[in-house]
Amino acid sequence: MITYTNSQISHIIDEYVHNERDRKILKRRFVDGIVFDKLAEEFDLSVRQVKNIVYKSEKIFLKHLK
């Protein structure tokens, strides 16, 4: 199993997720470990919206992990 540093994850998100809000949400989720309800509160979105953003964007950046 390959382990990535927070810096590597952040770099991949920056490179392949083009929407600024989505990048911020993904970094808060995967680098900082913030849970969905806290992200929803922070970004003034519903939990469902945050989950959709994370799952959609996650597919984009997971393709680029080697």
Side-chain angles (χ1 to χ4, degrees):
M1 180 173 156
I2 299 174
T3 304
Y4 294 92
T5 65
N6 287 343
S7 177
Q8 289 170 312
I9 292 169
S10 184
H11 175 75
I12 291 168
I13 291 170
D14 283 339
E15 192 164 334
Y16 296 106
V17 178
H18 302 296
N19 181 286
E20 183 178 354
R21 181 197 64 190
D22 294 359
R23 277 196 312 270
K24 288 179 181 179
I25 290 172
L26 283 174
K27 285 182 182 184
R28 296 289 284 148
R29 176 74 179 132
F30 293 114
V31 175
D32 300 330
I34 306 301
V35 295
F36 290 117
D37 60 333
K38 298 293 184 192
L39 287 171
E41 208 174 283
E42 181 178 334
F43 288 92
D44 196 30
L45 299 167
S46 71
V47 172
R48 175 174 274 183
Q49 286 173 301
V50 170
K51 285 182 178 182
N52 286 340
I53 290 166
V54 169
Y55 296 143
K56 176 189 74 162
S57 299
E58 186 179 48
K59 290 178 187 176
I60 294 168
F61 98 92
L62 285 176
K63 289 191 317 188
H64 299 284
L65 293 177
K66 295 179 175 82

